[in-house]
Amino acid sequence: MFLNLPTMLTWARIVSIPIIVGMFYLPWPMAQVNLAASCLFIAMAITDWADGWLARRLNQTSAFGAFLDPVADKILVCASLLILLQLHRVNALVALIIIGREIAISALREWMAQIGASRSVAVHMLGKLKTAAQMGAIVLLFYDGELFGLIHTRMAGTWLIYIAAALTIWSMVYYLQKALPAIRAKVR
């Protein structure tokens, strides 16, 4: 299951990370870099949805794919936030909240799997909303310009990344509350 179509889409997200980061170090006009990074990020965000849908549709789900998919998502989001932080397009506290939550929930899920309670921290709609808000905000912040002459994407992206940060905290609290009974039972 290392090379089925859904897993290859996940690998594409991983391969895109140094490409997106590297774009901002090329001697291109910033408007072109912003557009290229936004377009590539949109394509990779689509693969985040497509790989899971295809895995279920083609009956190609695998433990490896289930492991790799969230890893690819987290690295893509974290790398993008670090670039946006360097470009002064995202607040450091917001980036820290989002990145810190990703690390904390990954560790929580690993621990819950070890104690046989992984179902208590299964992906919830709140986590999916958080991811959608993060992805949308990153696209807008990468673009950093006027869209259709109507939307200033840095302002819209800033509002959306703050919403994503709030959803990040809310979803972390939700997952911790779900895990708490299993944690208490294990500690006793």
Side-chain angles (χ1 to χ4, degrees):
M1 291 295 192
F2 285 103
L3 292 178
N4 61 31
L5 181 58
T7 306
M8 287 173 36
L9 289 174
T10 304
W11 279 114
R13 272 200 314 287
I14 292 170
V15 169
S16 76
I17 295 164
I19 296 169
I20 290 172
V21 170
M23 286 180 186
F24 288 95
Y25 293 96
L26 294 174
W28 295 348
M30 188 54 77
Q32 290 178 358
V33 172
N34 289 343
L35 177 61
S38 296
C39 290
L40 183 53
F41 192 89
I42 288 168
M44 294 304 102
I46 291 168
T47 69
D48 181 26
W49 168 81
D51 63 6
W53 183 82
L54 285 169
R56 288 183 297 277
R57 181 90 173 177
L58 302 174
N59 197 27
Q60 294 181 344
T61 58
S62 68
F64 180 71
F67 156 76
L68 192 62
D69 179 64
V71 170
D73 298 343
K74 287 168 182 22
I75 296 172
L76 178 63
V77 167
C78 292
S80 297
L81 285 172
L82 291 174
I83 287 297
L84 291 169
L85 183 63
Q86 182 179 356
L87 295 169
H88 305 288
R89 296 182 192 174
V90 70
N91 180 287
L93 182 59
V94 169
L96 180 62
I97 287 168
I98 293 171
I99 293 169
R101 182 265 187 203
E102 298 302 339
I103 294 167
I105 296 302
S106 293
L108 177 66
R109 284 194 170 121
E110 182 178 333
W111 187 39
M112 297 305 284
Q114 287 178 354
I115 64 172
S118 58
R119 285 184 183 256
S120 63
V121 287
V123 176
H124 183 266
M125 183 53 77
L126 192 54
K128 292 181 181 194
L129 284 172
K130 178 258 327 165
T131 298
Q134 285 176 359
M135 299 272 190
I138 290 169
V139 168
L140 292 170
L141 291 168
F142 270 159
Y143 188 76
D144 193 36
E146 291 287 323
L147 193 60
F148 310 118
L150 300 170
I151 302 168
H152 189 274
T153 61
R154 187 181 293 200
M155 185 183 308
T158 299
W159 279 103
L160 193 53
I161 201 74
Y162 284 128
I163 291 168
L167 288 169
T168 296
I169 293 167
W170 187 9
S171 67
M172 184 172 74
V173 169
Y174 172 83
Y175 288 125
L176 289 171
Q177 286 177 333
K178 287 294 193 179
L180 199 54
I183 293 170
R184 284 185 177 145
K186 190 65 177 176
V187 172
R188 290 180 191 168

